[in-house]
Amino acid sequence: MHLFRKDTPALRPPRAWSNAGRAEAAPFGRSEAGGPEVSAFTLDNGLDVVVVPDHRAPVVTHMIWYRNGSADDPLGQSGIAHFLEHLMFKGTEKHPIGAFSKAVSGLGGQENAFTSYDYTAYFQRVARDHLETMMEFEADRMTGLVLEDSVVAPERDVVLEERRMRVETDPSAQLSEAMAASLFVHHPYGIPIIGWMHEIEGLNREHALDYYKRFYTPENAILVVAGDVTPDVVRRLADGTYGRVTPQGTRPTRLRAREPEPKALRRLAVEDPKVEQPTLQRLYLAPSCITARDGDCHALELLAEVLGGGSTSYLYRKLVMEQGIAVNAGAWYMGSAIDDTRFSVYAIPAEGVSLESLEEAVDRTLRRVPAEALDAEATERAKTRLVAETVYSSDSQSSLARIYGSALAIGETIEEVRRWPADIEGVTRDRLAAAAERYLTPARSVTGYLTKARDAA
């Protein structure tokens, strides 16, 4: 089990899931990137189902996505979504602890789960003939989870140790947490997915069961099956397993505070003796693929690629190759989110270069983006790389399942996923320049320094 933090670097997310396919599986055709023919339908109990055919091998990836993540954690219970993900492996009335995992292993399959800000997902990869078995197990733990204090308390200790190992002993993780908390002053994206240590310590059986009963329902879930299957077979198996789960009637409401428009730049630093490599990080508050207007999401995706997508990118070329003041530099954009999200720029100084000097150079370089970085050749090169990633991901069964599941879980549509390559190709230089000028501004930013602590005098 692991926390899934970063955006899927290929097909990007959608906007409003439609129940138009209740009667028949709705085929959406092949994507512009040459992907498979995707079908979708909805069971009578509200469970949305997506089928992504891939007949190259008799294998399937079975994923169940829930429309809840750490940003839906109740106030004072940070980490409960991730904690419940752990507890979902603790058995049901029908299947004792370990039975599900033992079955997957015995069938030669693989399994895992992950929690993000906006969704939680569980998946198995098995031979095609065992798909129904996976559905039976997963449908059972959608409503049949049994939790006793004897298993809850030890698993909470596991999560606490996970936080100690991943955050408390890692200065870069501490900087990332501090920067997120500063960027999102009101929205729960500023709270770590794993939760704050003192709040994890207070999580208990009642918290987990309340959260489970609220979100783990068929109408709040998306089943994605990718592999050597047909829509008719998936429908029949899903009806006989998931279709027996009683719905609650309405999808749970997600209650989230809205992040106010930022007015002031923020700065922070983490110093630690364990730091070997100083780092400059910058976050900007930016719209996501759900909150963006006028195609800003696609412009920001392409802008991140132009600025920081590898050794031919603008930041790398200017700071590393031409000026020699950095050993690495880049940018990324987490567009797959329900609410406003983050655009990041980072750089690692060369030997003898201070972070202050590096930051001045980064700022000078960013100011020149509209005039210098957005020439036709660089833009077309970035488009080619992004679309190529889509094609490569379309060649992976598990990646396809993940792309469609994450997209639908935040409210995008299959059609938007299919259209993504064309939308990227359609981004113009003017849109890129406008996105840079609108969102890469000091008032929207948090700048972080990671430095090695000086020895005490």
Side-chain angles (χ1 to χ4, degrees), residues 55-387:
H55 300 295
R56 291 173 297 178
V59 175
V60 294
T61 297
H62 168 267
M63 302 190 77
I64 189 75
W65 298 73
Y66 292 97
R67 295 177 176 94
N68 70 277
S70 66
D72 302 297
D73 292 351
L75 189 64
Q77 296 177 29
S78 65
I80 189 64
H82 173 245
F83 184 35
L84 180 58
E85 175 216 311
H86 279 243
L87 295 174
M88 287 289 284
F89 290 82
K90 297 305 176 183
T92 66
E93 292 182 3
K94 285 181 61 177
H95 302 107
I97 297 176
F100 194 172
S101 297
K102 185 176 180 180
V104 174
S105 176
L107 295 172
Q110 302 167 327
E111 66 166 346
N112 214 322
F114 53 83
T115 302
S116 185
Y117 293 107
D118 296 312
Y119 46 74
T120 306
Y122 304 82
F123 66 93
Q124 303 83 34
R125 183 172 167 83
V126 295
R128 174 191 57 203
D129 295 343
H130 304 309
L131 175 59
E132 185 175 15
T133 301
M134 298 301 100
M135 289 186 176
E136 288 173 346
F137 272 107
E138 204 67 85
D140 174 48
R141 71 173 172 182
M142 183 179 284
T143 57
L145 185 65
V146 174
L147 294 180
E148 301 293 341
D149 287 332
S150 59
V151 299
V152 171
E155 197 61 35
R156 183 177 58 233
D157 291 339
V158 170
V159 176
L160 288 168
E161 182 59 25
E162 182 181 354
R163 180 176 170 89
R164 290 188 191 97
M165 292 179 62
R166 292 190 174 198
V167 181
E168 306 303 322
T169 61
D170 184 349
S172 64
Q174 294 166 25
L175 178 65
S176 295
E177 278 196 354
M179 292 184 68
S182 184
L183 185 70
F184 298 101
V185 299
H186 194 48
H187 191 279
Y189 285 166
I191 301 172
I193 294 173
I194 197 170
W196 300 116
M197 181 71 83
H198 66 286
E199 292 189 347
I200 300 171
E201 291 171 343
L203 297 178
N204 58 39
R205 175 178 176 273
E206 287 70 30
H207 294 148
L209 286 175
D210 286 346
Y211 196 81
Y212 174 70
K213 292 173 183 177
R214 177 183 173 194
F215 287 112
Y216 282 61
T217 68
E219 61 266 62
N220 198 47
I222 303 160
L223 169 64
V224 180
V225 180
D228 191 20
V229 292
T230 65
D232 289 343
V233 168
V234 173
R235 178 187 285 278
R236 176 174 58 80
L237 297 179
D239 270 329
T241 53
Y242 289 104
R244 297 177 181 176
V245 179
T246 302
Q248 291 189 4
T250 58
R251 186 180 298 172
T253 302
R254 289 174 138 170
L255 305 173
R256 296 181 178 183
R258 179 181 174 184
E259 185 66 21
E261 190 69 11
K263 301 296 183 183
L265 64 87
R266 287 138 286 174
R267 310 179 60 82
L268 51 87
V270 169
E271 292 186 356
D272 193 283
K274 294 188 292 293
V275 173
E276 296 298 329
Q277 178 64 68
T279 305
L280 167 68
Q281 295 188 33
R282 172 82 56 77
L283 293 179
Y284 296 93
L285 186 68
S288 70
C289 285
I290 300 299
T291 62
R293 57 185 174 83
D294 302 328
D296 280 352
C297 169
H298 301 108
L300 286 166
E301 288 180 290
L302 186 57
L303 182 63
E305 189 69 22
V306 171
L307 294 184
S311 59
T312 61
S313 67
Y314 179 67
L315 287 173
Y316 192 95
R317 193 171 70 250
K318 289 294 182 181
L319 300 174
V320 179
M321 301 180 69
E322 294 182 12
Q323 300 178 40
I325 62 172
V327 295
N328 196 10
W332 52 265
Y333 167 61
M334 188 182 286
S336 180
I338 290 177
D339 301 307
D340 283 355
T341 185
R342 62 199 83 186
F343 187 106
S344 177
V345 171
Y346 63 89
I348 298 175
E351 184 72 27
V353 177
S354 69
L355 289 179
E356 291 80 5
S357 298
L358 180 60
E359 183 182 0
E360 290 177 3
V362 168
D363 287 337
R364 284 195 305 271
T365 305
L366 290 176
R367 284 194 295 268
R368 296 169 183 162
V369 165
E372 294 185 358
L374 307 180
D375 61 89
E377 182 181 352
T379 301
E380 288 305 312
R381 188 166 58 239
K383 289 179 179 180
T384 299
R385 285 198 302 266
L386 278 180
V387 174

